[in-house]
């Protein structure tokens, strides 16, 4: 595709799947897009996830615009193959990517550059863009709760406390007593990985019991259920899943993990995505992973749980989520909600900031890669129309 010369390109901040998808969709429409990636290669986050990780969405429903994921990668694409795909994607679309550049602040340009954006980046760079797409990622900055006494915990033996971002595989934890904190998809999978990989004991601290669903049932992926119900009334989906709950979700109440409260889809709308079972259910039923109460505090080598009990794990892995960390970049523009999330997504711009777009900051039940692909096309269409109107 021939890119029409433009005095100011569209800047895409972030070289992950969302940013690459937008850049490719813009290039396909003749709009010059420059991807600014702070690390030395695309797909930085995916390069640093734990080894066992696979996409929880199917290969067919996870491809980005303009390039299918190779069939040889299998139905559930492994972390390393996701990285290979992103590298190939950037090469295939001949994307303009500048690595080693971190954008510190985005500002509206003053007249006569009305409608344009100023990006302040490393090395004293001052970049002027016709539009900006923020794609720095849903999982940007590890978040560890400020538990009382946290600073006193040192672990025992070879162990210590780390965020799940630092976990790679179970090898360093063989023979250790490990507490995993957080029962989302990451915590559940790390707990199962540890149990299968030789940890002496694995406990999973649970604050809010999750819905646990099969990744696929008789070949039908749960992702397709998410797509089908995405636009249905929340109450209707809650009632249906409640009626068929025992067929759709795992019941581990006999093993110390109570049934979740609230409707499944109501929980999703609040940001609590169901846990896809990739080994946790079997590990809990076999006694290799023990659900325990949430962490309340730390007291030297001991972890105090919400039920008052105390345990002394050798190591703690905090699968406690991430912050978007957008405040330094765009917090001054009035485009974030009280939780630090963008107030818009996809082709919609904040009313206060026309020409500023966001992608990849939600975790939809229909699949993040799928939604980023759809958002990329919408954003590209909107920007292309805007550029055409100005010519």
């Amino acid at each position: 595709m021939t890119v029409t010369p433009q005095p100011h390109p569209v800047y895409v901040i972030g070289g992950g799947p969302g940013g690459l998808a937008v850049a490719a969709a813009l290039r396909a429409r003749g709009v010059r897009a420059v991807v600014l990636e702070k690390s030395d290669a695309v797909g930085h986050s995916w390069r640093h996830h734990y080894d066992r990780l696979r996409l929880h969405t199917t290969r067919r429903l996870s491809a980005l615009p303009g390039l299918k994921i190779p069939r040889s990668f299998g139905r559930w694409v492994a972390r390393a193959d996701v990285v290979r795909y992103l590298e190939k994607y950037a090469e295939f679309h001949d994307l303009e990517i500048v690595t080693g550049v971190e954008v510190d602040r985005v500002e509206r340009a003053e007249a006569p550059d009305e409608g344009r954006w100023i990006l302040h980046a490393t090395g004293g760079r001052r970049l002027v863009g016709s539009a900006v797409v923020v794609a720095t990622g849903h999982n940007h900055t590890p978040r560890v709760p400020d538990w009382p006494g946290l600073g006193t915990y040192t672990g025992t033996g070879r162990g210590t406390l780390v965020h799940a971002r630092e976990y790679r595989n179970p090898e360093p934890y063989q023979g250790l007593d490990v507490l995993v904190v957080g029962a989302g998809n990451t915590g559940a999978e790390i707990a199962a990985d540890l149990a299968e990989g030789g940890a002496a004991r694995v406990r999973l601290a649970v604050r809010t019991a999750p819905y646990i669903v099969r990744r696929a049932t008789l070949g039908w992926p749960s992702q397709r259920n998410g797509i089908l119900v995405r636009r249905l009334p929340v109450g209707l989906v809650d009632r249906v899943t409640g009626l068929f709950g025992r067929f759709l979700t795992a019941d581990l109440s006999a093993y110390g993990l109570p049934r979740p409260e609230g409707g499944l889809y109501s929980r999703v709308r609040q940001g609590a995505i169901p846990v896809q079972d990739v080994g946790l259910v079997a590990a809990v039923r076999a006694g290799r992973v023990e659900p325990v109460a949430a962490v309340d505090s730390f007291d030297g080598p001991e972890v105090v749980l919400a039920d008052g009990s105390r345990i002394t794990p050798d190591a703690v892995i905090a699968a406690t989520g991430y912050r978007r960390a957008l405040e330094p970049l765009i917090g001054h523009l009035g485009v974030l909600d009280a939780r630090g999330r963008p107030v818009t997504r996809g082709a919609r711009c904040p009313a206060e900031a026309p020409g500023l777009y966001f992608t990849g900051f939600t975790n939809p039940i229909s699949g993040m890669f799928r939604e980023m692909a759809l958002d990329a096309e919408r954003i590209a269409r909107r920007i292309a129309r805007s550029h055409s109107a100005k010519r």
Side-chain angles (χ1 to χ4, degrees):
M1 176 69 187
T2 301
V3 176
T4 304
Q6 296 142 15
H8 302 292
V10 175
Y11 281 108
V12 180
I13 306 175
L20 297 180
V22 171
L26 285 167
R27 181 172 176 78
R29 290 165 173 80
V31 178
R32 184 187 173 205
V34 178
V35 178
L36 303 174
E37 168 55 45
K38 69 177 181 179
S39 70
D40 59 357
V42 300
H44 174 76
S45 292
W46 277 92
R47 294 175 188 274
H48 294 84
H49 286 313
Y50 50 94
D51 296 343
R52 174 193 174 109
L53 180 64
R54 291 179 176 268
L55 283 178
H56 290 169
T57 53
T58 66
R59 181 190 74 251
R60 287 188 176 184
L61 295 175
S62 301
L64 302 179
L67 183 66
K68 294 180 179 179
I69 299 176
R71 190 173 183 179
S72 61
F73 287 0
R75 192 180 197 193
W76 312 102
V77 183
R79 178 199 63 82
D81 286 333
V82 171
V83 173
R84 290 169 57 195
Y85 172 67
L86 295 178
E87 291 173 339
K88 179 63 178 178
Y89 190 84
E91 177 186 354
F92 179 82
H93 288 291
D94 193 23
L95 300 182
E96 190 173 349
I97 301 171
V98 182
T99 59
V101 174
E102 182 172 8
V103 180
D104 304 313
R105 187 176 175 89
V106 176
E107 296 178 339
R108 283 289 301 271
E110 297 178 359
D113 288 334
E114 185 178 353
R116 295 178 184 150
W117 293 90
I118 306 297
L119 290 75
H120 299 277
T122 50
R125 293 176 175 86
R126 182 180 182 276
L127 309 171
V128 182
S130 58
V132 174
V133 182
V134 181
T136 50
H138 187 268
N139 297 339
H140 186 274
T141 301
R143 184 184 68 85
V144 176
D146 187 20
W147 288 299
L150 176 61
T152 70
Y153 179 76
T154 57
T156 59
R158 293 169 284 153
T160 185
L161 186 147
V162 298
H163 188 270
R165 167 70 70 85
E166 300 176 62
Y167 177 84
R168 294 292 173 271
N169 58 62
E171 184 176 354
Y173 299 93
Q174 290 180 359
L176 297 186
D177 180 339
V178 187
L179 172 67
V180 179
V181 183
N185 275 292
T186 297
E189 188 159 2
I190 288 177
D193 197 33
L194 289 164
E196 295 170 11
R201 186 177 189 179
V202 181
R203 283 173 280 204
L204 179 63
V206 182
R207 181 170 301 278
T208 303
Y211 279 96
I212 303 175
V213 300
R214 299 182 183 92
R215 188 164 61 176
T217 303
L218 300 176
W220 178 265
S222 62
Q223 180 189 7
R224 289 200 178 274
N225 292 333
I227 294 171
L228 290 174
V229 306
R230 182 90 193 274
R231 304 196 182 282
L232 293 178
V234 173
L236 173 62
V237 179
D238 281 348
R239 287 194 294 273
V240 171
T241 54
L243 288 172
F244 297 97
R246 65 192 183 99
F247 301 105
L248 300 174
T249 63
D251 183 0
L252 297 176
S253 54
Y255 302 90
L257 187 62
R259 294 284 293 180
E261 297 180 358
L264 186 151
Y265 201 36
S266 293
R267 295 271 298 273
V268 169
R269 296 296 291 270
Q270 296 167 7
I273 298 298
V275 170
Q276 291 206 9
D277 179 32
V278 288
L280 178 67
V281 171
V284 170
R285 287 174 175 166
R288 299 196 305 272
V289 172
E290 308 166 46
V292 297
V295 170
D296 182 71
S297 62
F298 288 79
D299 185 8
E302 294 186 321
V303 180
V304 183
L305 302 181
D307 61 4
S309 61
R310 291 171 175 256
I311 60 175
T312 311
D314 297 312
V316 176
I317 299 173
T320 46
Y322 296 81
R323 294 185 295 107
R324 313 297 169 261
L326 290 169
E327 288 80 3
L329 184 69
I330 54 172
H332 55 285
L333 296 174
V335 296
L336 302 177
D337 66 15
R339 296 173 60 184
R341 302 171 304 181
V343 295
T344 63
R345 55 162 287 191
R348 293 184 294 114
C349 300
E352 308 85 349
L356 182 65
Y357 302 86
F358 300 91
T359 184
F361 292 99
T362 60
N363 191 14
I365 195 173
S366 50
M368 186 178 287
F369 270 54
R370 178 181 181 273
E371 293 303 318
M372 286 190 294
L374 295 173
D375 277 350
E377 297 286 6
R378 295 167 183 145
I379 292 170
R381 283 196 298 267
R382 174 80 176 269
I383 293 176
R385 285 199 299 267
S386 175
H387 278 60
S388 297
K390 292 178 182 177
R391 287 202 292 267

